[in-house]
Amino acid sequence: MIPPILVVAERDADGGLAAATREATGVARTMAGPGGSFVGVVVGADVAAAAEEFARLGASAVYVAEDARFATPTSGILAVAATEAARKSEAKWVVLGGTSQGRDLAGRLAMRWSAAAVTGVTELSTASDGGLRAKRPVFGGRATETRALDGARAVIALRPHAFAAATDDPKPLVRHDLSLEGISGGEVAARRTGLARPEAAAGPSLAEATIVVAGGRGLRSPENFALVEQLAASLGAAVGASRAVTDAGWRPPSFQVGQTGRTVSPQLYVAIGISGAIQHLVGMVSSRTIVAINSDASAPIFKVADYGIVGDALAIVPALTREVRRVRGLPPT
Ligand SMILES: Cc1cc2nc3c(=O)[nH]c(=O)nc-3n(C[C@H](O)[C@H](O)[C@H](O)COP(=O)(O)OP(=O)(O)OC[C@H]3O[C@@H](n4cnc5c(N)ncnc54)[C@H](O)[C@@H]3O)c2cc1C
Protein backbone atom coordinates (compact mmCIF):
# COMPACT_ATOMS: atom_id res chain seq x y z
CA MET A 1 0.00 0.00 0.00
CA ILE A 2 1.29 3.52 -0.83
CA PRO A 3 1.30 5.45 2.48
CA PRO A 4 -1.21 8.31 2.55
CA ILE A 5 -0.15 11.92 3.16
CA LEU A 6 -1.47 13.34 6.43
CA VAL A 7 -2.85 16.90 6.72
CA VAL A 8 -3.38 18.41 10.19
CA ALA A 9 -6.41 20.71 10.36
CA GLU A 10 -6.49 24.23 11.66
CA ARG A 11 -10.01 25.58 11.76
CA ASP A 12 -11.49 28.97 10.96
CA ALA A 13 -13.95 30.87 13.15
CA ASP A 14 -16.92 28.96 11.63
CA GLY A 15 -15.40 25.57 12.47
CA GLY A 16 -14.49 24.70 8.86
CA LEU A 17 -10.95 24.21 7.58
CA ALA A 18 -8.77 27.33 7.65
CA ALA A 19 -7.58 28.65 4.27
CA ALA A 20 -4.02 27.55 5.17
CA THR A 21 -5.26 23.97 5.73
CA ARG A 22 -7.04 23.98 2.36
CA GLU A 23 -3.68 24.98 0.81
CA ALA A 24 -1.97 22.12 2.70
CA THR A 25 -4.71 19.78 1.42
CA GLY A 26 -4.03 20.89 -2.16
CA VAL A 27 -0.34 20.07 -1.69
CA ALA A 28 -1.09 16.67 -0.09
CA ARG A 29 -3.36 15.77 -3.02
CA THR A 30 -0.65 16.70 -5.55
CA MET A 31 2.02 14.78 -3.59
CA ALA A 32 -0.23 11.71 -3.40
CA GLY A 33 -0.79 11.74 -7.18
CA PRO A 34 -3.40 9.67 -8.99
CA GLY A 35 -2.48 6.37 -7.30
CA GLY A 36 -2.15 7.73 -3.78
CA SER A 37 -4.38 9.24 -1.14
CA PHE A 38 -4.37 11.69 1.71
CA VAL A 39 -6.01 11.69 5.13
CA GLY A 40 -6.87 14.46 7.59
CA VAL A 41 -6.74 14.83 11.35
CA VAL A 42 -9.03 17.21 13.26
CA VAL A 43 -8.94 18.00 16.98
CA GLY A 44 -11.43 19.97 19.08
CA ALA A 45 -15.11 20.39 19.83
CA ASP A 46 -17.82 20.31 17.11
CA VAL A 47 -15.44 18.98 14.50
CA ALA A 48 -18.10 17.63 12.09
CA ALA A 49 -17.88 20.55 9.64
CA ALA A 50 -14.09 20.25 9.32
CA ALA A 51 -14.24 16.46 8.92
CA GLU A 52 -16.91 16.77 6.21
CA GLU A 53 -14.86 19.43 4.43
CA PHE A 54 -11.83 17.13 4.36
CA ALA A 55 -14.00 14.43 2.73
CA ARG A 56 -15.38 16.97 0.24
CA LEU A 57 -11.79 17.88 -0.72
CA GLY A 58 -11.01 14.21 -1.35
CA ALA A 59 -9.62 12.78 1.91
CA SER A 60 -9.82 8.98 1.95
CA ALA A 61 -10.21 9.05 5.77
CA VAL A 62 -10.43 11.60 8.58
CA TYR A 63 -8.99 10.96 12.07
CA VAL A 64 -11.08 12.83 14.60
CA ALA A 65 -10.22 13.64 18.22
CA GLU A 66 -13.49 15.20 19.39
CA ASP A 67 -12.73 16.52 22.84
CA ALA A 68 -14.35 19.61 24.36
CA ARG A 69 -11.28 20.17 26.56
CA PHE A 70 -9.32 21.10 23.45
CA ALA A 71 -11.77 23.37 21.62
CA THR A 72 -8.82 25.50 20.48
CA PRO A 73 -6.00 22.95 20.59
CA THR A 74 -2.41 24.03 21.20
CA SER A 75 0.41 22.71 19.03
CA GLY A 76 1.29 20.28 21.84
CA ILE A 77 -2.16 18.67 21.66
CA LEU A 78 -2.13 18.65 17.84
CA ALA A 79 1.28 16.94 17.90
CA VAL A 80 -0.13 14.14 20.08
CA ALA A 81 -3.15 13.65 17.80
CA ALA A 82 -1.12 13.90 14.59
CA THR A 83 1.38 11.31 15.84
CA GLU A 84 -1.48 8.94 16.61
CA ALA A 85 -3.15 9.58 13.24
CA ALA A 86 0.18 9.01 11.44
CA ARG A 87 0.68 5.73 13.32
CA LYS A 88 -2.82 4.49 12.49
CA SER A 89 -2.83 5.62 8.86
CA GLU A 90 0.85 4.63 8.33
CA ALA A 91 1.51 8.08 6.82
CA LYS A 92 5.16 9.00 6.26
CA TRP A 93 4.73 12.62 5.22
CA VAL A 94 2.70 15.28 7.06
CA VAL A 95 1.72 18.63 5.51
CA LEU A 96 0.86 21.67 7.64
CA GLY A 97 -0.56 25.10 6.75
CA GLY A 98 1.64 28.19 6.66
CA THR A 99 0.53 29.71 9.96
CA SER A 100 2.34 30.44 13.21
CA GLN A 101 0.71 27.31 14.65
CA GLY A 102 1.81 25.28 11.61
CA ARG A 103 5.42 26.40 12.12
CA ASP A 104 5.29 25.67 15.85
CA LEU A 105 3.65 22.28 15.28
CA ALA A 106 6.26 21.29 12.67
CA GLY A 107 9.03 21.26 15.30
CA ARG A 108 6.97 19.62 18.03
CA LEU A 109 5.64 16.91 15.74
CA ALA A 110 9.08 16.20 14.27
CA MET A 111 10.50 15.66 17.79
CA ARG A 112 7.61 13.48 18.95
CA TRP A 113 7.42 11.44 15.74
CA SER A 114 11.19 11.29 14.98
CA ALA A 115 10.82 13.00 11.64
CA ALA A 116 12.66 15.64 9.58
CA ALA A 117 10.93 19.03 9.45
CA VAL A 118 11.04 22.05 7.17
CA THR A 119 8.96 25.23 7.37
CA GLY A 120 8.14 28.09 4.97
CA VAL A 121 8.11 25.78 1.94
CA THR A 122 7.29 27.35 -1.43
CA GLU A 123 8.06 24.43 -3.79
CA LEU A 124 8.09 20.66 -3.40
CA SER A 125 9.31 17.95 -5.73
CA THR A 126 10.25 14.29 -5.57
CA ALA A 127 13.83 13.21 -6.34
CA SER A 128 14.64 10.15 -8.45
CA ASP A 129 15.39 8.17 -5.26
CA GLY A 130 11.86 8.91 -3.99
CA GLY A 131 13.04 11.46 -1.39
CA LEU A 132 11.49 14.91 -1.13
CA ARG A 133 13.09 18.20 -2.15
CA ALA A 134 11.65 21.30 -0.46
CA LYS A 135 12.51 24.88 -1.49
CA ARG A 136 12.02 27.91 0.71
CA PRO A 137 13.17 31.53 0.81
CA VAL A 138 15.90 32.33 3.37
CA PHE A 139 17.85 35.43 4.48
CA GLY A 140 14.77 37.64 4.15
CA GLY A 141 14.05 36.36 0.63
CA ARG A 142 17.56 37.06 -0.71
CA ALA A 143 18.24 33.37 -1.41
CA THR A 144 16.33 30.14 -1.95
CA GLU A 145 17.36 27.07 0.01
CA THR A 146 16.72 23.51 -1.19
CA ARG A 147 16.39 20.89 1.52
CA ALA A 148 16.59 17.16 0.88
CA LEU A 149 14.17 15.22 3.07
CA ASP A 150 15.55 11.74 2.55
CA GLY A 151 14.54 10.16 5.86
CA ALA A 152 11.60 7.87 6.33
CA ARG A 153 9.35 10.58 7.80
CA ALA A 154 8.98 14.28 7.07
CA VAL A 155 6.87 17.19 8.35
CA ILE A 156 6.40 20.02 5.86
CA ALA A 157 4.93 23.40 6.85
CA LEU A 158 4.10 25.61 3.86
CA ARG A 159 4.61 29.29 3.21
CA PRO A 160 1.22 31.06 3.23
CA HIS A 161 -0.31 31.52 -0.27
CA ALA A 162 2.57 29.69 -1.96
CA PHE A 163 0.23 26.89 -3.15
CA ALA A 164 -3.35 26.79 -4.45
CA ALA A 165 -6.07 25.61 -2.10
CA ALA A 166 -7.64 22.21 -2.85
CA THR A 167 -10.87 22.29 -4.81
CA ASP A 168 -13.78 19.88 -4.30
CA ASP A 169 -13.21 16.20 -5.14
CA PRO A 170 -15.84 14.61 -2.88
CA LYS A 171 -15.31 11.23 -1.23
CA PRO A 172 -17.55 9.54 1.34
CA LEU A 173 -16.57 10.54 4.89
CA VAL A 174 -14.62 7.67 6.50
CA ARG A 175 -14.23 8.74 10.12
CA HIS A 176 -11.85 7.14 12.62
CA ASP A 177 -12.10 8.36 16.20
CA LEU A 178 -8.93 9.10 18.16
CA SER A 179 -8.91 9.32 21.93
CA LEU A 180 -6.90 11.95 23.77
CA GLU A 181 -7.69 10.31 27.13
CA GLY A 182 -4.14 9.14 27.77
CA ILE A 183 -2.64 12.53 27.00
CA SER A 184 0.12 13.46 29.43
CA GLY A 185 -0.35 15.88 32.31
CA GLY A 186 2.15 18.28 30.79
CA GLU A 187 0.19 18.61 27.57
CA VAL A 188 -3.10 19.16 29.41
CA ALA A 189 -1.49 21.74 31.70
CA ALA A 190 -0.53 23.71 28.60
CA ARG A 191 -3.99 23.71 27.06
CA ARG A 192 -5.44 26.96 25.83
CA THR A 193 -8.48 28.13 27.80
CA GLY A 194 -9.30 31.23 25.80
CA LEU A 195 -8.48 32.98 22.55
CA ALA A 196 -8.85 36.74 22.40
CA ARG A 197 -8.77 38.20 18.94
CA PRO A 198 -6.39 41.14 18.57
CA GLU A 199 -7.86 44.47 17.64
CA ALA A 200 -7.96 44.22 13.87
CA ALA A 201 -8.94 46.28 10.88
CA ALA A 202 -12.16 45.67 9.00
CA GLY A 203 -11.81 43.36 6.00
CA PRO A 204 -9.73 40.22 5.50
CA SER A 205 -7.08 39.17 8.04
CA LEU A 206 -3.44 39.99 7.31
CA ALA A 207 -2.50 36.31 7.35
CA GLU A 208 -5.04 35.27 4.74
CA ALA A 209 -5.45 38.34 2.51
CA THR A 210 -4.40 38.10 -1.12
CA ILE A 211 -3.85 41.88 -1.17
CA VAL A 212 -2.22 43.88 1.66
CA VAL A 213 -2.04 47.67 1.71
CA ALA A 214 0.44 48.88 4.34
CA GLY A 215 1.34 52.34 5.55
CA GLY A 216 4.38 53.82 7.28
CA ARG A 217 5.63 56.96 8.94
CA GLY A 218 5.50 58.73 5.58
CA LEU A 219 1.75 59.15 6.16
CA ARG A 220 2.77 61.73 8.77
CA SER A 221 -0.23 61.38 11.16
CA PRO A 222 -2.76 58.80 12.43
CA GLU A 223 -5.54 60.71 10.64
CA ASN A 224 -3.74 60.42 7.29
CA PHE A 225 -3.38 56.65 7.87
CA ALA A 226 -7.10 56.49 7.02
CA LEU A 227 -6.01 57.00 3.37
CA VAL A 228 -4.32 53.57 3.55
CA GLU A 229 -7.50 52.05 4.97
CA GLN A 230 -9.67 53.61 2.26
CA LEU A 231 -7.46 52.21 -0.50
CA ALA A 232 -7.46 48.81 1.23
CA ALA A 233 -11.27 48.81 1.53
CA SER A 234 -11.58 49.70 -2.16
CA LEU A 235 -9.31 46.77 -3.13
CA GLY A 236 -10.82 44.28 -0.64
CA ALA A 237 -7.38 44.19 1.00
CA ALA A 238 -6.06 43.77 4.54
CA VAL A 239 -4.35 46.73 6.22
CA GLY A 240 -0.75 46.47 7.43
CA ALA A 241 1.68 48.92 8.98
CA SER A 242 5.36 49.45 9.67
CA ARG A 243 6.65 49.36 13.21
CA ALA A 244 7.06 53.14 13.17
CA VAL A 245 3.26 53.32 12.92
CA THR A 246 2.49 50.76 15.62
CA ASP A 247 5.18 52.11 17.98
CA ALA A 248 3.67 55.57 17.62
CA GLY A 249 0.27 54.12 18.55
CA TRP A 250 -1.36 55.18 15.27
CA ARG A 251 -2.61 51.62 14.87
CA PRO A 252 -2.43 48.52 17.19
CA PRO A 253 0.52 46.08 17.15
CA SER A 254 -1.60 43.45 15.34
CA PHE A 255 -1.20 45.56 12.16
CA GLN A 256 2.60 45.32 12.16
CA VAL A 257 4.38 43.57 9.31
CA GLY A 258 8.00 42.52 9.70
CA GLN A 259 10.55 40.79 11.85
CA THR A 260 8.70 41.47 15.09
CA GLY A 261 5.25 41.52 13.46
CA ARG A 262 3.45 39.40 10.89
CA THR A 263 5.01 37.68 7.93
CA VAL A 264 2.78 38.01 4.88
CA SER A 265 3.13 36.84 1.29
CA PRO A 266 0.07 38.08 -0.58
CA GLN A 267 -0.32 38.30 -4.34
CA LEU A 268 -0.03 42.10 -4.06
CA TYR A 269 1.65 44.21 -1.35
CA VAL A 270 1.30 48.00 -1.55
CA ALA A 271 3.82 49.82 0.69
CA ILE A 272 2.90 53.46 1.25
CA GLY A 273 5.36 55.82 2.96
CA ILE A 274 7.46 52.87 4.17
CA SER A 275 11.24 53.22 3.81
CA GLY A 276 11.94 49.48 3.46
CA ALA A 277 14.13 48.78 6.50
CA ILE A 278 15.38 45.18 6.53
CA GLN A 279 13.19 44.41 9.56
CA HIS A 280 10.11 45.37 7.50
CA LEU A 281 11.29 43.63 4.32
CA VAL A 282 11.70 40.21 5.95
CA GLY A 283 7.96 40.23 6.67
CA MET A 284 6.77 40.98 3.13
CA VAL A 285 9.52 40.44 0.58
CA SER A 286 8.11 37.15 -0.68
CA SER A 287 4.88 38.89 -1.77
CA ARG A 288 4.26 38.10 -5.43
CA THR A 289 4.01 41.72 -6.63
CA ILE A 290 5.22 44.70 -4.59
CA VAL A 291 4.14 48.29 -5.30
CA ALA A 292 5.87 51.11 -3.40
CA ILE A 293 4.78 54.73 -3.05
CA ASN A 294 7.47 56.92 -1.52
CA SER A 295 8.60 60.54 -1.93
CA ASP A 296 12.28 59.53 -1.79
CA ALA A 297 13.46 57.85 -5.00
CA SER A 298 16.43 56.35 -3.12
CA ALA A 299 14.28 54.65 -0.43
CA PRO A 300 15.36 50.97 -0.05
CA ILE A 301 11.78 49.76 -0.60
CA PHE A 302 12.26 50.47 -4.33
CA LYS A 303 15.00 47.79 -4.44
CA VAL A 304 12.37 45.09 -3.83
CA ALA A 305 9.43 46.78 -5.58
CA ASP A 306 8.10 45.56 -8.93
CA TYR A 307 6.37 48.92 -9.49
CA GLY A 308 7.23 52.22 -7.84
CA ILE A 309 5.64 55.66 -7.65
CA VAL A 310 7.91 58.49 -6.46
CA GLY A 311 5.77 61.23 -4.98
CA ASP A 312 3.66 62.48 -2.12
CA ALA A 313 1.47 59.67 -0.76
CA LEU A 314 -1.02 62.20 0.58
CA ALA A 315 -1.80 63.23 -3.01
CA ILE A 316 -1.25 59.90 -4.79
CA VAL A 317 -3.21 57.55 -2.52
CA PRO A 318 -6.56 59.43 -2.68
CA ALA A 319 -6.22 59.63 -6.49
CA LEU A 320 -5.44 55.89 -6.63
CA THR A 321 -8.43 55.10 -4.40
CA ARG A 322 -10.75 57.18 -6.62
CA GLU A 323 -9.50 55.37 -9.72
CA VAL A 324 -9.75 51.88 -8.14
CA ARG A 325 -13.33 52.61 -7.05
CA ARG A 326 -14.25 53.93 -10.50
CA VAL A 327 -12.78 50.86 -12.26
CA ARG A 328 -14.46 48.48 -9.78
CA GLY A 329 -17.82 50.28 -10.07
CA LEU A 330 -17.83 51.31 -6.39
CA PRO A 331 -19.39 54.57 -5.17
CA PRO A 332 -16.92 57.36 -4.30
CA THR A 333 -15.87 57.54 -0.61
C1 LIG B 1 14.88 44.54 16.54
C2 LIG B 1 14.05 45.36 15.59
C3 LIG B 1 12.88 44.81 15.09
C4 LIG B 1 12.10 45.57 14.20
N1 LIG B 1 10.95 45.00 13.70
C5 LIG B 1 10.25 45.69 12.77
C6 LIG B 1 9.09 45.11 12.16
O1 LIG B 1 8.67 44.00 12.50
N2 LIG B 1 8.44 45.84 11.24
C7 LIG B 1 8.85 47.10 10.83
O2 LIG B 1 8.19 47.69 9.97
N3 LIG B 1 9.93 47.66 11.40
C8 LIG B 1 10.62 46.99 12.37
N4 LIG B 1 11.70 47.60 12.95
C9 LIG B 1 11.94 49.03 12.69
C10 LIG B 1 12.65 49.30 11.37
O3 LIG B 1 14.04 49.24 11.56
C11 LIG B 1 12.26 50.70 10.85
O4 LIG B 1 12.58 51.66 11.83
C12 LIG B 1 10.79 50.86 10.49
O5 LIG B 1 10.40 49.81 9.63
C13 LIG B 1 10.57 52.20 9.81
O6 LIG B 1 9.22 52.39 9.54
P1 LIG B 1 8.78 53.33 8.33
O7 LIG B 1 9.34 52.79 7.05
O8 LIG B 1 7.31 53.52 8.42
O9 LIG B 1 9.42 54.73 8.73
P2 LIG B 1 10.68 55.51 8.13
O10 LIG B 1 11.88 54.66 8.07
O11 LIG B 1 10.74 56.80 8.88
O12 LIG B 1 10.26 55.77 6.62
C14 LIG B 1 9.24 56.64 6.22
C15 LIG B 1 9.31 56.71 4.71
O13 LIG B 1 8.23 57.52 4.26
C16 LIG B 1 8.72 58.32 3.18
N5 LIG B 1 7.87 59.52 3.13
C17 LIG B 1 7.90 60.60 3.92
N6 LIG B 1 6.93 61.44 3.57
C18 LIG B 1 6.27 60.87 2.53
C19 LIG B 1 5.17 61.27 1.74
N7 LIG B 1 4.52 62.41 1.94
N8 LIG B 1 4.77 60.43 0.75
C20 LIG B 1 5.41 59.26 0.52
N9 LIG B 1 6.46 58.84 1.25
C21 LIG B 1 6.88 59.64 2.25
C22 LIG B 1 10.16 58.60 3.50
O14 LIG B 1 10.89 58.88 2.31
C23 LIG B 1 10.59 57.30 4.16
O15 LIG B 1 11.16 56.42 3.20
C24 LIG B 1 12.49 46.88 13.84
C25 LIG B 1 13.68 47.41 14.36
C26 LIG B 1 14.45 46.67 15.23
C27 LIG B 1 15.73 47.26 15.74
Side-chain angles (χ1 to χ4, degrees), residues 53-282:
E53 196 171 345
F54 261 139
R56 202 172 64 240
L57 297 177
S60 59
V62 185
Y63 293 82
V64 174
E66 185 137 33
D67 194 321
R69 290 177 300 165
F70 308 124
T72 50
T74 58
S75 305
I77 306 293
L78 288 176
V80 173
T83 305
E84 189 59 8
R87 191 182 65 76
K88 291 197 164 171
S89 65
E90 298 183 6
K92 302 284 181 251
W93 292 337
V94 176
V95 187
L96 309 172
T99 60
S100 53
Q101 183 159 59
R103 288 187 289 278
D104 185 34
L105 175 57
R108 285 173 179 273
L109 180 55
M111 285 298 291
R112 175 175 274 274
W113 190 44
S114 301
V118 59
T119 58
V121 171
T122 51
E123 272 182 65
L124 269 173
S125 57
T126 315
S128 52
D129 60 4
L132 277 178
R133 298 289 176 271
K135 288 192 177 180
R136 60 179 199 152
V138 291
F139 306 125
R142 288 191 169 87
T144 302
E145 175 190 71
T146 304
R147 288 252 191 126
L149 300 166
D150 292 332
R153 297 170 174 173
V155 180
I156 300 137
L158 307 178
R159 180 113 184 160
H161 306 306
F163 296 90
T167 49
D168 286 1
D169 178 22
K171 298 259 186 327
L173 173 58
V174 178
R175 175 177 165 147
H176 301 292
D177 286 306
L178 296 175
S179 168
L180 295 179
E181 279 310 313
I183 204 162
S184 78
E187 298 292 2
V188 175
R191 81 185 191 277
R192 186 191 280 158
T193 54
L195 183 66
R197 288 189 175 276
E199 201 182 326
S205 76
L206 261 182
E208 296 192 347
T210 51
I211 306 178
V212 172
V213 180
R217 189 160 24 214
L219 269 308
R220 307 269 174 82
S221 73
E223 293 74 30
N224 289 341
F225 197 87
L227 298 176
V228 172
E229 288 159 340
Q230 284 161 9
L231 178 58
S234 306
L235 286 166
V239 179
S242 71
R243 180 158 156 185
V245 165
T246 55
D247 276 357
W250 296 1
R251 291 300 181 270
S254 56
F255 283 55
Q256 188 182 315
V257 172
Q259 181 185 325
T260 42
R262 297 293 189 113
T263 299
V264 299
S265 48
Q267 303 291 318
L268 173 64
Y269 189 90
V270 186
I272 303 172
I274 293 177
S275 57
I278 185 65
Q279 296 90 353
H280 187 82
L281 297 186
V282 293

